[in-house]
């Protein structure tokens, strides 16, 4: 589980003003919430007094109160503002105590939480991941599924071009696995903490994308800690697909799938499109569950160009962990390359 990154904690629309929600990210138990002014926050879900989970307490829109001894904490900064049991003459200052705070942002319809690599935050936080061209816009389709696997297994599907022909089969897509594989040749380049499939024109099998107009182009960026952003754009419209993993524990991972588009007339099709997204994601979940089942998996075998993207992702992860241990900047170890496969 990689620390020092932003992770999706949930959908913006699922967190109402004046509400809180307990979440677990990378094993850390947090309480996220939204103040009446719309600002989101994230704090440790443990009261510093006796460790009572704050989720069992209350939130009046301004302060969080522990249910055990009534300690109150400001929702603005997590500082304790009142300890009811203290006598008036007691010199103890409540402000000495506070809930551990985590940076929290509401961006493009998702609530993101930054999980620091250590107890202190860096001087400058990295930017929250965003899909291009959809500033301030929430996804038209968003779904989350909990995978019974570690984050690596959950993210394999983001950069494994060989599996869709055998895994993503259905009555409405294709009913038989492994049929009509076509040769593919794509150019890749390094990107921040990852790599990018360079923009290219969609050709065979891309008929639905003709709704976006002519000269439909697509590029895909994949990177740490487990993100995939696919940008599709034509002469009239564009769309983006954001896929992101959020490790819950060492063996459990939430996979978030968000779709953005600029075609308002597709609104009536949203229920069907949401069902399709869940259907696709459930097929990946089934594979992850089977892969994670039973004894420890053997060392991974990488064969030819179809497997290189997963190998790249693991290489990037090793470099990031090494940079943390050695207290040095991350250096992307990848170079430009052209890959060929059938899918």
């Amino acid at each position: 589980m990689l620390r020092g990154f932003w992770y999706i904690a949930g959908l913006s629309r699922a967190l109402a003003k004046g509400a809180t929600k307990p979440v677990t990210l990378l094993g850390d138990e947090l309480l996220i919430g939204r103040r009446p002014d719309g600002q989101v926050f994230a704090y440790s879900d443990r009261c510093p007094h006796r460790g009572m989970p704050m989720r069992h307490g209350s939130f009046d829109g301004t302060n969080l109160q522990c249910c055990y001894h009534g300690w109150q904490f400001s929702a603005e900064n997590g500082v304790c503002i009142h300890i009811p049991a203290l006598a008036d003459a007691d010199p103890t200052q409540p402000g000495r105590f506070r809930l551990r705070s985590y940076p929290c942002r509401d961006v493009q319809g998702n609530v993101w939480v930054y999980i620091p690599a250590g107890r202190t935050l860096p001087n400058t936080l990295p930017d929250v991941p965003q899909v291009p061209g959809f500033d301030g816009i929430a996804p038209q389709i968003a779904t989350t599924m909990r995978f019974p696997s570690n984050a690596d297994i959950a993210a394999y599907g983001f950069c494994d071009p060989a599996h869709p022909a055998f895994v993503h089969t259905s009555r409405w897509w294709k009913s038989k696995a492994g049929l009509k594989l076509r040769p593919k040749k794509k150019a890749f380049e390094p990107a921040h903490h990852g790599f990018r499939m360079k923009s290219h024109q969609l050709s065979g099998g891309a008929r639905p994308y003709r709704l976006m107009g002519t000269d439909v182009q697509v590029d895909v960026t994949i990177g740490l800690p487990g993100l995939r952003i696919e940008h599709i754009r034509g002469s009239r419209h564009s769309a983006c697909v954001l896929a992101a993993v959020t490790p819950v524990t060492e063996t459990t991972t939430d996979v978030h799938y968000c779709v953005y588009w600029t075609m308002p007339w597709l609104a009536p099709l949203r229920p069907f499109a949401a069902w399709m997204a869940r259907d696709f994601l459930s097929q990946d979940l089934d594979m992850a569950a089977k892969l994670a089942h039973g004894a420890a998996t053997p060392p991974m075998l990488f064969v030819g160009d179809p497997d290189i993207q997963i190998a790249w992702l693991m290489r990037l992860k090793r470099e990031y962990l090494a940079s943390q241990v050695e207290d040095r900047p991350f250096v992307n170890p990848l170079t430009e390359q052209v890959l060929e496969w059938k899918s």
Side-chain angles (χ1 to χ4, degrees):
M1 298 189 293
L2 298 182
R3 293 176 174 267
F5 289 97
W6 290 96
Y7 288 95
I8 295 178
L11 285 172
S12 302
R13 63 172 180 254
L15 192 61
K17 292 180 179 180
T20 59
K21 178 183 178 181
V23 297
T24 303
L25 306 183
L26 285 72
D28 292 3
E29 294 182 344
L30 311 181
L31 187 70
I32 63 173
R34 190 184 299 277
R35 302 198 304 261
D37 62 3
Q39 295 299 309
V40 292
F41 59 81
Y43 295 110
S44 169
D45 193 28
R46 295 286 175 175
C47 177
H49 182 216
R50 291 288 184 271
M52 173 62 69
M54 294 297 294
R55 69 186 68 183
H56 300 308
S58 60
F59 175 46
D60 63 5
T62 302
N63 301 319
L64 296 157
Q65 185 171 47
C66 178
C67 69
Y68 199 6
H69 297 95
W71 284 34
Q72 294 181 16
F73 302 86
S74 168
E76 187 172 349
N77 54 24
V79 173
C80 183
I81 60 171
H82 183 51
I83 301 176
L86 289 179
D88 293 341
D90 195 305
T92 302
Q93 296 297 316
R96 292 172 48 197
F97 313 102
R98 65 190 308 150
L99 299 171
R100 185 185 180 190
S101 174
Y102 292 74
C104 188
R105 305 284 188 273
D106 189 340
V107 177
Q108 292 182 322
N110 290 302
V111 176
W112 296 80
V113 175
Y114 180 80
I115 305 297
R119 294 294 298 181
T120 59
L121 293 174
N123 293 329
T124 302
L125 289 176
D127 293 333
V128 177
Q130 295 191 52
V131 298
F134 291 87
D135 294 344
I137 299 175
Q140 280 80 5
I141 298 171
T143 187
T144 299
M145 288 189 180
R146 180 155 293 184
F147 282 40
S149 68
N150 63 42
D152 290 341
I153 291 177
Y156 286 168
F158 294 176
C159 51
D160 179 8
H163 86 280
F166 298 90
V167 174
H168 296 302
T169 58
S170 62
R171 291 189 301 271
W172 58 272
W173 185 250
K174 58 178 182 292
S175 58
K176 295 183 180 180
L179 293 181
K180 298 181 180 178
L181 298 185
R182 298 189 301 272
K184 302 290 179 64
K185 185 177 182 180
K186 308 295 182 185
F188 291 82
E189 62 185 358
H192 179 66
H193 282 138
F195 54 92
R196 177 176 175 266
M197 181 191 296
K198 293 183 179 181
S199 181
H200 58 279
Q201 188 171 23
L202 289 175
S203 53
R207 289 182 180 178
Y209 296 119
R210 292 178 183 174
L211 296 172
M212 298 182 181
T214 58
D215 189 29
V216 179
Q217 303 282 323
V218 61
D219 63 78
V220 181
T221 301
I222 296 170
L224 302 178
L227 293 171
R228 183 183 190 275
I229 298 176
E230 181 174 359
H231 188 198
I232 309 159
R233 58 202 181 280
S235 60
R236 294 196 302 269
H237 295 286
S238 63
C240 269
V241 180
L242 167 67
V245 300
T246 297
V248 179
T249 66
E250 295 270 358
T251 57
T252 308
T253 304
D254 283 344
V255 178
H256 308 277
Y257 191 83
C258 302
V259 183
Y260 304 75
W261 64 58
T262 62
M263 298 164 282
W265 37 269
L266 282 182
L269 298 179
R270 284 176 62 179
F272 179 65
W275 175 83
M276 288 193 298
R278 290 192 297 270
D279 188 44
F280 257 71
L281 198 54
S282 67
Q283 292 166 346
D284 282 325
L285 186 153
D286 181 57
M287 290 298 107
K290 290 174 179 176
L291 191 58
H293 178 71
T297 57
M300 292 209 300
L301 182 63
F302 298 105
V303 180
D305 283 8
D307 290 344
I308 285 183
Q309 293 181 62
I310 294 179
W312 283 348
L313 198 61
M314 296 300 100
R315 187 177 175 188
L316 289 162
K317 182 176 181 178
R318 289 194 298 270
E319 161 58 20
Y320 177 78
L321 291 172
S323 71
Q324 294 293 298
V325 171
E326 298 167 11
D327 192 24
R328 59 171 175 79
F330 170 87
V331 178
N332 194 318
L334 307 182
T335 58
E336 290 195 20
Q337 189 170 341
V338 175
L339 303 181
E340 297 185 59
W341 65 84
K342 291 182 180 180
S343 63

